[in-house]
């Protein structure tokens, strides 16, 4: 088959469905209706004489032919986009570009409000889509262009470009009326703090392994009463129980202000970490990538403490 028989928009749709694993989500990202996307996908299936995507739980699964095509289609579309953008430069006020970001739920809570506020003012048509990626896959997804950037404390992610954004450390979030709060605050020695902590009960986050590591390191794992998947449920749990949460100070400060919780810093050992922005060297000179990196650095990197 010759490329003259295929509309470029069909390839863009194929690419989005492959990335999203869902026709409706791909249609939304392209500004199409779901019926229009389904009809276009049917045209492409007929042209290529392959189903391309089969129904699966939560969406669709690529066929072997789709897997074989995907990387070449992505590279071709990226080459076209790079050429067009390089000739005209990236214009944030008019661009409708979609940036795909790896973020955890805590990263979304930390970065998205301020980032979206800036985009409304400076790039009103630019769109963002977030999705968590297994840490061992992040570098490959960045290189393929499946995601554009990864935010987070990602020590296992190698061979990427990166920019440090902010320093943080783990502290304890508790309700203001917690019966042991005053005793903790009165402690002057770390050994006394740990002694009191070992009389308390905790909630930990399964998706953030360092919270579990700290509890184990301090001998608090037997005081773990609840393990959950997401950070964003923590303030309502903490405020309505005597459970305490070990979590990054940056997001805990927001929870405390919004939910009326209290913070306590036990000075845990090995509790500090740095959150960075990661991207692939393949897109180092992409004008849109450069603009987005500069925006993120301007919004967040000045807060790194040295």
């Amino acid at each position: 088959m010759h490329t003259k028989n295929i509309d470029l928009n069909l390839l863009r749709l194929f690419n989005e469905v492959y990335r999203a694993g869902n026709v409706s989500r791909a249609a939304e990202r392209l500004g199409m209706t779901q019926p229009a996307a389904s009809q276009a996908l049917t045209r492409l299936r007929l042209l290529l004489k392959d189903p391309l995507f089969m129904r699966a739980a939560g969406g669709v699964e690529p066929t072997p032919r789709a897997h074989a095509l995907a990387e070449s289609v992505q590279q071709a579309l990226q080459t076209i986009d790079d050429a067009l953008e390089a000739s005209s430069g990236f214009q944030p006020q008019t661009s409708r570009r979609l940036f795909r970001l790896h973020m955890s739920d805590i990263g979304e809570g930390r970065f998205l409000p301020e980032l979206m506020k800036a985009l409304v003012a400076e790039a009103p048509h630019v769109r963002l889509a977030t999705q968590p990626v297994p840490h061992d896959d992040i570098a490959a997804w960045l290189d393929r262009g499946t995601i554009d950037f990864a935010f987070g404390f990602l020590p296992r992610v190698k061979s990427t470009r990166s920019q440090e954004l902010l320093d943080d450390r783990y502290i304890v979030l508790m309700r203001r009326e917690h019966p042991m709060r005053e005793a903790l605050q009165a402690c002057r020695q770390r050994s006394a703090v740990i002694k009191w902590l070992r009389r308390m009960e905790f909630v930990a986050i399964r998706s953030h392994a360092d919270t579990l590591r700290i509890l184990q390191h301090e001998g608090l794992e037997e005081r773990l009463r609840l393990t959950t998947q997401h950070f964003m449920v923590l303030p309502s749990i903490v405020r309505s129980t005597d459970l305490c949460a070990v979590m990054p100070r940056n997001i805990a400060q927001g929870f405390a202000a919004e939910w009326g919780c209290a913070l306590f810093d036990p000075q845990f050992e090995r509790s500090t970490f740095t959150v960075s922005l990661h991207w692939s060297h393949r897109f180092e000179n992409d004008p849109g990538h450069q603009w987005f990196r500069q925006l993120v650095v301007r919004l967040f990197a000045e807060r790194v403490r040295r």
Side-chain angles (χ1 to χ4, degrees):
M1 170 175 290
H2 199 278
T3 54
K4 68 180 181 180
N5 296 320
I6 298 183
D7 183 341
L8 181 62
N9 288 325
L10 295 180
L11 296 182
R12 293 194 182 279
L13 174 62
F14 168 85
N15 189 41
E16 288 297 335
V17 175
Y18 185 85
R19 285 174 162 175
N22 185 286
V23 177
S24 297
R25 196 174 304 132
E28 182 180 354
R29 291 178 179 179
L30 291 172
M32 302 173 67
T33 64
Q34 197 277 337
S38 296
Q39 291 174 8
L41 196 56
T42 297
R43 287 175 55 203
L44 187 60
R45 285 165 166 157
L46 292 173
L47 286 168
L48 296 179
K49 298 180 173 59
D50 189 89
L52 297 176
F53 302 99
M54 307 298 291
R55 291 187 183 277
V60 293
E61 181 73 24
T63 65
R65 178 77 185 282
H67 278 304
L69 287 171
E71 185 173 356
S72 296
V73 169
Q74 289 171 359
Q75 290 177 351
L77 291 173
Q78 187 64 55
T79 299
I80 293 170
D81 289 341
D82 288 348
L84 292 174
E85 199 165 78
S87 64
S88 61
F90 181 78
Q91 303 296 327
Q93 283 292 331
T94 57
S95 176
R96 296 183 176 275
R97 185 159 178 173
L98 171 66
F99 290 102
R100 300 172 181 84
L101 315 175
H102 161 81
M103 284 185 181
S104 64
D105 66 325
I106 195 171
E108 290 180 348
R110 177 62 186 84
F111 293 110
L112 287 183
E114 196 166 346
L115 188 53
M116 290 307 301
K117 181 179 178 181
L119 289 180
V120 167
E122 302 178 35
H125 307 295
V126 165
R127 298 166 295 146
L128 303 182
T130 68
Q131 65 180 114
V133 178
H135 288 194
D136 292 338
D137 296 334
I138 287 175
W141 285 41
L142 288 169
D143 279 342
R144 290 200 304 264
T146 307
I147 56 173
D148 297 293
F149 298 97
F151 288 71
F153 172 54
L154 305 169
R156 300 208 309 266
V157 176
K158 309 296 184 183
S159 304
T160 64
R161 299 284 194 266
S162 65
Q163 167 69 52
E164 293 182 350
L165 297 180
L166 55 91
D167 289 335
D168 211 343
R169 69 176 182 271
Y170 288 96
I171 65 171
V172 173
L173 181 77
M174 64 177 66
R175 68 185 182 98
R176 286 179 180 173
E177 301 81 9
H178 194 287
M180 297 187 190
R181 181 185 172 200
E182 291 186 5
L184 279 172
Q185 292 175 329
C187 292
R188 294 293 176 264
Q189 294 183 339
R190 188 173 181 278
S191 59
V193 169
I194 298 300
K195 181 179 179 181
W196 277 104
L197 289 176
R198 287 174 180 168
R199 298 175 61 183
M200 298 161 64
E201 293 184 318
F202 293 87
V203 51
I205 308 302
R206 185 180 298 106
S207 60
H208 216 74
D210 276 350
T211 62
L212 295 170
R213 175 186 61 78
I214 288 172
L215 289 173
Q216 292 167 354
H217 180 74
E218 302 293 352
L220 301 170
E221 66 269 30
E222 291 190 1
R223 306 305 299 171
L224 181 60
R225 181 75 176 276
L226 171 65
T227 304
T228 185
Q229 186 68 21
H230 302 295
F231 269 103
M232 304 310 289
V233 73
L234 289 183
S236 60
I237 293 173
V238 167
R239 193 174 69 167
S240 59
T241 71
D242 284 337
L243 295 180
C244 300
V246 175
M247 62 184 303
R249 186 183 66 167
N250 233 288
I251 197 72
Q253 288 173 327
F255 283 173
E258 183 177 354
W259 289 80
C261 298
L263 306 178
F264 179 73
D265 188 351
Q267 299 294 313
F268 290 126
E269 294 181 2
R270 295 184 294 170
S271 67
T272 60
F273 61 96
T274 299
V275 175
S276 298
L277 177 72
H278 295 257
W279 65 94
S280 170
H281 66 92
R282 291 187 58 223
F283 305 102
E284 182 81 14
N285 298 317
D286 176 279
H289 269 239
Q290 290 177 336
W291 173 84
F292 190 88
R293 296 197 302 266
Q294 291 167 3
L295 174 67
V296 171
V297 167
R298 172 162 57 84
L299 291 175
F300 305 109
E302 69 227 24
R303 300 173 192 177
V304 175
R305 300 176 297 282
R306 291 289 179 238

